[in-house]
Amino acid sequence: MELHLDRLPRSVELVRDGEGPLFRYVDERLLPHEVSISETRDWQSVIEAIKCLAVRGAPAIGIAGAAAMALWSAYDGKDVEQAAAEIASARPTAVNLRWGVNRALEKSSGIEGDAQTEMLYTLVKLMEAEDEETNRAIGRNGSALIDPGSRILTHCNAGSLATCYFGTALGVVYSAAAEGKVERVYADETRPVGQGARLTAWELAQVGIPVTLICDNMAASLMAAGNVDAVIVGADRIARNGDAANKIGTYGVAILAKEHGIPFYVAAPFSTVDAQLADGSGIVIEQRPAQEVLPEPIDGVDVWNPAFDVTPARYITKIVTEKGAFSPEELEARL
Ligand code: MRU
């Protein structure tokens, strides 16, 4: 199978011109109909882009958070603690956002002005390069778990579009496909925002991987029919015991996989592991607006719209990281 990874845009990128740094991102709200690249020099606009899901996916928002700090340094420079707190709290669940902002804070402390901006620009470029390198390592480590002829189910988008480039769960798919081991990927549409339908299906089609879109409520039947050999998803935060938060609906898919004897893999970089949390009960789950579920309100109808759920470690076969693939117990021992 010939892969066309070069057809994928870089999702987030800090560049610079004569005026200074500029944050460039694919506005993912417009996909799959339009590949639109937006640009801003305003750190508060980066927060807005994260909140409205123009920029989304745990690794991508971690880098966007650090890039926002570089823009703050170049064009504002006042009250660093306040700016960092505002950026880090744009979304609460993915620990990568806090991780990215903290890395920028550490680098910028004790320096100011142009030297600080230069330091932060260099840091973000390093983080972008590390992200791709990490994803390629996750891909290699995950590919070793995939059997030839595999039909893989994924939920949400943990692809190139959720990172700087290449992706985590889809990074595993790309590496395994390059070795000729992927027959087909099934993408859950991922209600209510449709990351699977709008992003994963588009991304895989661009690359040239056979992809079939299913509604979320079809996964059980697909598994029962014997059409799924492995499930691979990403994560927004992994607790020390391996409990993993990911897009709402992931937990249900994990239960289905266990019931059908299908391996369930979580692919994520170590920056997604929150070593401060003993288990998933401490993970804050973001609540999103009702309009995502019900665009036209109905009188007397309330909406519950959590953006993520937590899959207990007992449903997870392996957590695939850049340092290797570990069972939840092995991961905890390593931490
Ligand atoms: O709300 P989103 O689109 O940011 O949610 C994204 C996910 O849940 C991804 O699976 C997760 O961030 C991992 S991305 C490599």
Side-chain angles (χ1 to χ4, degrees), residues 53 56-59 91 155-159 162-163 168 195 234-236 246-247 307-308:
L53 308 186
R56 37 70 49 202
R91 294 187 78 189
H155 189 75
C156 194
N157 173 267
T163 63
T168 56
Q195 288 91 338
D236 288 81
N246 191 49
K247 178 54 54 195
F308 302 96

Side-chain angles (χ1 to χ4, degrees), residues 289-304:
Q291 289 84 336
E292 286 181 356
V293 175
L294 197 60
E296 297 293 329
I298 301 173
D299 273 352
V301 176
D302 294 330
V303 168
W304 182 59

Side-chain angles (χ1 to χ4, degrees), residues 33-64:
H33 305 295
E34 205 184 313
V35 184
S36 164
I37 311 285
S38 296
E39 292 182 343
T40 183
R41 296 185 201 273
D42 173 17
W43 63 272
Q44 277 155 327
S45 300
V46 180
I47 297 179
E48 287 316 307
I50 292 172
K51 284 186 175 171
C52 73
L53 308 186
V55 173
R56 37 70 49 202
I61 66 175
I63 288 159

Side-chain angles (χ1 to χ4, degrees), residues 135 138-139 142-143 146 166-177 182 232 267 320:
N135 294 337
I138 290 172
S143 176
I146 303 298
F166 200 70
T168 56
L170 294 192
V172 173
V173 167
Y174 298 143
S175 299
V182 176
I232 311 176
V320 185

Side-chain angles (χ1 to χ4, degrees), residues 2 13-14 18 37 82 85 170 213 217 254 289:
E2 199 188 340
E13 194 175 19
L14 192 65
I37 311 285
Q82 171 68 22
L170 294 192
L213 181 63
N217 53 8

Side-chain angles (χ1 to χ4, degrees), residues 190-215:
T190 317
R191 280 274 292 152
V193 174
Q195 288 91 338
R198 294 186 302 105
L199 308 178
T200 296
W202 178 83
E203 180 175 329
L204 290 167
Q206 288 296 111
V207 176
I209 295 194
V211 55
T212 300
L213 181 63
I214 63 166
C215 299

